[in-house]
Amino acid sequence: MGELLIYGATGYTGAMAAEHAHDLGLRPVLGGRNADKLAAVAARLDCAYRVFDVDDRSAVDDALTGAEVLLNCAGPYLRTARPLMEAAIRTGTHYLDIAAELDSYRLAEHFDGAATAAGVMLLPGSGGSVAMLGCLAAHTAARVDHPQRLRIALHVAGSMSRGSAISASENLTTDTLHRVDGSLVPQDQSAVEAFDFGFGDVACTPVTLPDLITIGRATGIANIDTYVYASGDAFPDGALADLPDGPSAAQRATDRYHAVAVATGGDGRTVSSVLDTVNGYTFTPLAAAHAARRVLAGDVRPGFRTPVEVFGAGFAETIADTHITDR
């Protein structure tokens, strides 16, 4: 296999992704800005490392030259996605990340043509909710004829990592959006819907998720609404800099994530499916490492792609303790 470079490998999620990649036998090269922290993680995993900043174009190109796959785990992606996508296209390196911000996916759409011409795949959301919800959406949509509408809700449980909280705060969108007839348009934020994740109906709030782009792209469904239900300390108060790195292993084991998808076919028939999985901070680095392994093994389609397009609707259920149940 070729070389996997993981940027942001000293962060909470990036370090776990590096550990999973190491356990899969990928021997990743670790990247980041802090030499001391990188050296410590690299020593623990017996990996090589490269110190560089995404704002240094020459250093980024040097670091990516020779790498077949780049996994970007360094948020906020508002700052890192553009320079690393551009460098990936210049150096012929397939780009993966774990972004949850809409702008990263709009950026991948923007670079779709250039990436295709360069033979480079852009796969934002290789782990995390985009991989979860994309697989659930494709699975559910396949149960109806000519799917016309999809409503999907994510249950976020437990606490948020400091990096995720900071990234989310810097990527707030002023509009709550949904997809109507193929276009992203404002949604009424008060249009709360009830969904049952397996523990009774709960009120879910409309939210702008990148899945509005990725699910539309992968399934062709023109009308998509996305919702979230948060339990625990999913959206923290107070100073974000004072938050812990992320939930503990015990907290992750307790706080499972869930999702519900409701698909409506051209004949008006409606079906639903429920996804039950491990905590998002357990799923994300594991799914990203498996995605990187599959790309290194040749699962590549140049241009902007989604996990379900490349790996199929069953990808999420290959990750840890993840199950989809039909209703």
Side-chain angles (χ1 to χ4, degrees), residues 96-177:
L96 284 64
D97 71 25
I98 53 173
E101 299 91 7
L102 188 71
D103 285 347
S104 294
Y105 298 83
R106 284 175 162 162
L107 191 64
E109 284 186 315
H110 173 73
F111 287 129
D112 181 32
T116 301
V120 167
M121 183 165 67
L122 303 178
L123 191 69
S126 58
S129 64
V130 167
M132 290 181 199
L133 299 186
C135 291
L136 176 62
H139 172 95
T140 311
R143 297 177 57 207
V144 297
D145 293 327
H146 308 293
Q148 302 296 307
R149 186 186 181 200
L150 184 85
R151 292 177 295 135
I152 194 160
L154 174 66
H155 171 215
V156 178
S159 59
M160 185 181 287
S161 75
R162 181 172 62 248
S164 294
I166 292 172
S167 188
S169 70
E170 294 190 7
N171 285 272
L172 290 175
T173 163
T174 56
D175 290 325
T176 300
L177 304 175

Side-chain angles (χ1 to χ4, degrees), residues 19-307:
E19 291 171 3
H20 290 312
H22 177 268
D23 291 344
L24 290 172
L26 301 182
R27 301 280 296 178
V29 176
L30 311 184
R33 296 180 300 171
N34 188 306
D36 291 339
K37 289 182 179 180
L38 272 176
V41 177
R44 186 174 76 249
L45 298 179
D46 189 25
C47 293
Y49 67 94
R50 296 174 192 151
V51 182
F52 62 100
D53 192 300
V54 296
D55 293 328
D56 186 336
R57 174 173 170 150
S58 178
V60 174
D61 285 359
D62 288 344
L64 266 60
T65 298
E68 185 172 343
V69 174
L70 167 67
L71 172 58
N72 177 17
C73 296
Y77 295 91
L78 183 68
R79 302 177 185 173
T80 65
R82 177 179 286 274
L84 290 178
M85 282 188 191
E86 290 177 336
I89 292 169
R90 290 194 301 270
T91 59
T93 307
H94 301 303
Y95 173 94
L96 284 64
D97 71 25
I98 53 173
E101 299 91 7
L102 188 71
D103 285 347
S104 294
Y105 298 83
R106 284 175 162 162
L107 191 64
E109 284 186 315
H110 173 73
F111 287 129
D112 181 32
T116 301
V120 167
M121 183 165 67
L122 303 178
L123 191 69
S126 58
S129 64
V130 167
M132 290 181 199
L133 299 186
C135 291
L136 176 62
H139 172 95
T140 311
R143 297 177 57 207
V144 297
D145 293 327
H146 308 293
Q148 302 296 307
R149 186 186 181 200
L150 184 85
R151 292 177 295 135
I152 194 160
L154 174 66
H155 171 215
V156 178
S159 59
M160 185 181 287
S161 75
R162 181 172 62 248
S164 294
I166 292 172
S167 188
S169 70
E170 294 190 7
N171 285 272
L172 290 175
T173 163
T174 56
D175 290 325
T176 300
L177 304 175
H178 62 159
R179 183 173 288 275
V180 177
D181 295 333
S183 299
L184 294 183
V185 299
Q187 159 76 305
D188 180 1
Q189 194 168 17
S190 67
V192 172
E193 292 257 0
F195 290 88
D196 183 0
F197 297 101
F199 42 83
D201 282 353
V202 292
C204 299
T205 304
V207 66
T208 302
L209 295 178
D211 309 273
L212 293 170
I213 291 177
T214 56
I215 291 174
R217 186 178 186 89
T219 66
I221 297 174
N223 300 284
I224 302 171
D225 298 273
T226 52
Y227 302 81
V228 68
Y229 170 71
S231 61
D233 300 319
F235 296 101
D237 296 321
L240 300 183
D242 295 335
L243 291 173
D245 286 347
S248 67
Q251 289 171 324
R252 295 198 309 270
T254 300
D255 297 320
R256 295 179 67 84
Y257 276 30
H258 306 87
V260 178
V262 181
T264 303
D267 58 0
R269 178 171 173 262
T270 296
V271 300
S272 65
S273 300
V274 180
L275 178 144
D276 175 39
T277 189
V278 293
N279 185 270
Y281 290 103
T282 298
F283 183 97
T284 296
L286 186 56
H290 277 275
R293 179 183 61 81
R294 292 184 63 160
V295 175
L296 286 168
D299 283 353
V300 172
R301 295 175 61 186
F304 170 34
R305 301 295 175 185
T306 71

